[in-house]
Amino acid sequence: MIPVGDWAGQATYLVRGELVIGEYPWDQLAKVPENLAAETWPDFPRTWANPGFVVRYAYARARWAHRWAQAAEPDWESLPVEWRAVVRLLAELPSRSRSRKGKWRTFAEHLAERYHDAFEAANPLPRGDAPVTGASAARVATGDAVAAVLAAISAERLSERI
């Protein structure tokens, strides 16, 4: 499901047992716990049908965007709907980490797929010589959170390059 609307009117999250409406959940996402799980994925074949490739490539893509990004203040209100879908998945992290069965493998695969959808819909980096905007910075910061979560779920060190 791709969310619609804006953060002020539509964003609803359950954080530490309390309903939070109209706030960006970045405070909860900034500190990703380490070693959430010890999942492994096959590296080959490198096709979209292989969940291992999808997860590894999402991590590599997010780290690539981070390497090329320039400093800018994130403008969270300007996130396109595809990127808000990624943020909504990331917002599940606090409650999943307290669950006895977080189903981390499935969560990581869904997060990676949603990240690729968002990346294809709106690249986090500007084209050509265009300046980095707040919208780009928000997409890069969201990608950083995705990479941190995928690294925390994986049993092995994910490569920054594929």
Side-chain angles (χ1 to χ4, degrees), residues 60-70 115 124-125 140-141 143-144 147 160:
R61 260 185 160 178
R63 300 311 301 151
W64 168 83
H66 178 84
R67 283 193 304 273
W68 283 94
Q70 299 170 355
Y115 178 74
L125 298 178
V140 169
D144 289 345
E160 292 192 7

Side-chain angles (χ1 to χ4, degrees), residues 26 29-30 32 62-63 90 93 111 140-151:
W26 188 251
L29 303 178
V32 175
R63 300 311 301 151
L90 287 168
L93 190 63
L111 180 61
V140 169
T142 304
D144 289 345
V146 168
V149 169
L150 294 177

Side-chain angles (χ1 to χ4, degrees), residues 49-74:
N50 176 8
F53 169 73
V54 174
V55 168
R56 290 170 187 277
Y57 189 42
Y59 179 83
R61 260 185 160 178
R63 300 311 301 151
W64 168 83
H66 178 84
R67 283 193 304 273
W68 283 94
Q70 299 170 355
E73 189 64 31

